[in-house]
Amino acid sequence: MSDSLERLYLAVLAARDLDPATSRTARLFQRGPSKMAKKLAEEAIEVVIDAVNGDTEAVVRESADLLYNLTVLWASAGVCPEDVWREMSRREDMLGIAEKLPKSSMKLPKVASPRISARRPIVAIEGRAARKRH
Ligand SMILES: N=c1c2ncn([C@@H]3O[C@H](COP(=O)(O)OP(=O)(O)OP(=O)(O)O)[C@@H](O)[C@H]3O)c2ncn1[C@@H]1O[C@H](COP(=O)(O)O)[C@@H](O)[C@H]1O
């Protein structure tokens, strides 16, 4: 999947300077980040609605639109796909799966990389449980 997103990202970069009258991407760049953000949010909501309605095929279609609008926003924000893949790998190395670090300031215990140890740091789980309690 990352290959597809990387190819799409390059296509979006290439389309940025095309004629907005014929290129949706160029039009989005012309209208700026707030329009891009609005479109991304719209697509996210469409994915949610289709998923709640159990319309799997629509979820697939809208997810493709969502990812397109996400890559446009990435390009506008100066983010490239590799930046995101690097962050996901960092989280995976830290916690064993690609997830956010606990929000609390609690420190994760010094453990071998979760890829070696069988379990994620308990503190991370407790942190999340503690956060949910209040
Ligand atoms: N990958 C995509 C892509 N995915 C989705 N979309 C369009 O994004 C829109 C998202 O759906 P919406 O319903 O929100 O859009 P809409 O309401 O129909 O139209 P708007 O009101 O948003 O203008 C659809 O019209 C899709 O056709 C895309 N448009 C372009 N690309 C690629 O982007 C590159 C540049 O293409 P141009 O923008 O056409 O130059 C090319 O590689 C394209 O393949």
Side-chain angles (χ1 to χ4, degrees), residues 100-130:
K100 291 179 87 167
L101 284 169
K103 286 192 170 58
S104 66
S105 58
M106 93 181 28
K107 297 277 175 282
L108 293 177
K110 295 260 176 285
V111 289
S113 159
R115 285 188 177 154
I116 301 164
S117 67
R119 288 171 50 79
R120 290 187 301 164
I122 299 296
V123 171
I125 298 170
E126 281 165 356
R128 192 173 30 222

Side-chain angles (χ1 to χ4, degrees), residues 88-102:
M88 291 174 75
S89 298
R90 187 183 71 85
R91 295 178 185 193
E92 187 173 6
D93 289 346
M94 180 74 74
L95 294 171
I97 53 175
E99 73 175 59
K100 291 179 87 167
L101 284 169

Side-chain angles (χ1 to χ4, degrees), residues 27-134:
R27 194 159 55 249
L28 279 172
F29 273 95
Q30 184 183 55
R31 298 175 77 175
S34 56
K35 178 65 176 174
M36 296 171 183
K38 180 173 177 291
K39 290 308 295 177
L40 182 58
E42 282 174 5
E43 294 306 335
I45 291 166
E46 288 177 33
V47 170
V48 166
I49 290 169
D50 290 328
V52 167
N53 292 339
D55 188 342
T56 308
E57 288 180 14
V59 171
V60 170
R61 287 194 306 275
E62 294 305 335
S63 296
D65 287 345
L66 177 67
L67 290 174
Y68 161 70
N69 282 283
L70 179 61
T71 54
V72 170
L73 196 73
W74 281 352
S76 169
V79 170
C80 60
E82 294 72 22
D83 297 332
V84 179
W85 311 155
R86 202 177 311 115
E87 172 60 15
M88 291 174 75
S89 298
R90 187 183 71 85
R91 295 178 185 193
E92 187 173 6
D93 289 346
M94 180 74 74
L95 294 171
I97 53 175
E99 73 175 59
K100 291 179 87 167
L101 284 169
K103 286 192 170 58
S104 66
S105 58
M106 93 181 28
K107 297 277 175 282
L108 293 177
K110 295 260 176 285
V111 289
S113 159
R115 285 188 177 154
I116 301 164
S117 67
R119 288 171 50 79
R120 290 187 301 164
I122 299 296
V123 171
I125 298 170
E126 281 165 356
R128 192 173 30 222
R131 213 175 31 259
K132 282 204 172 125
R133 265 197 290 275
H134 44 268

